[in-house]
Amino acid sequence: MNLSFVPDAEQRLWRTVVRRKLQLTRNRVRLQNRVESLLEEAHIKLSSLVSDLLGLSAQRMLKALSDGETNPAALAALADRKLHATQEQLCDALGACTQLNPSIGGC
């Protein structure tokens, strides 16, 4: 009779940690794809200028956008100075923000 292999406690712990890390990474990518899709539907091309939509600069701009800010220059001013995109490029990418209307009676 052959017995099943049962890893020791440390190996089981490491397997659990690796699985959890993989799950968190997948969730982050899924969220980033959903945010990018939503922005594309609104004709906001932020992802072409910002390498990480969940990064600090993009988070600031998205937060201001969700708070009702529609001025592209004000949104572009929230970008970090280290961002390679210029203010003009950001204003152009965020230009569709002026046409956004809050959904009335939405979910």
Side-chain angles (χ1 to χ4, degrees):
M1 177 189 305
N2 289 336
L3 298 176
S4 298
F5 171 70
V6 177
D8 61 356
E10 184 179 359
Q11 189 174 8
R12 287 193 309 264
L13 177 66
W14 276 112
R15 285 180 178 182
T16 303
V17 168
V18 168
R19 284 187 194 115
R20 182 67 178 146
K21 181 182 176 194
L22 181 62
Q23 184 181 29
L24 290 172
T25 302
R26 284 181 180 160
N27 288 343
R28 179 181 167 86
V29 169
R30 188 176 300 130
L31 175 65
Q32 188 165 352
N33 288 339
R34 289 179 68 190
V35 168
E36 185 173 5
S37 176
L38 182 64
L39 290 174
E40 285 178 0
E41 285 179 24
H43 303 290
I44 299 172
K45 305 297 182 190
L46 188 60
S47 61
S48 63
L49 298 174
V50 178
S51 61
D52 184 11
L53 279 176
L54 302 179
L56 187 61
S57 291
Q59 280 186 19
R60 279 193 225 129
M61 288 183 252
L62 293 174
K63 173 73 171 119
L65 192 59
S66 70
D67 289 340
E69 180 64 57
T70 58
N71 183 359
L75 291 168
L78 296 173
D80 193 40
R81 294 178 187 218
K82 295 178 185 179
L83 195 64
H84 291 284
T86 64
Q87 293 291 319
E88 292 80 23
Q89 290 173 325
L90 287 170
C91 284
D92 187 42
L94 296 166
C97 294
T98 58
Q99 301 169 359
L100 290 179
N101 295 322
S103 60
I104 300 171
C107 298

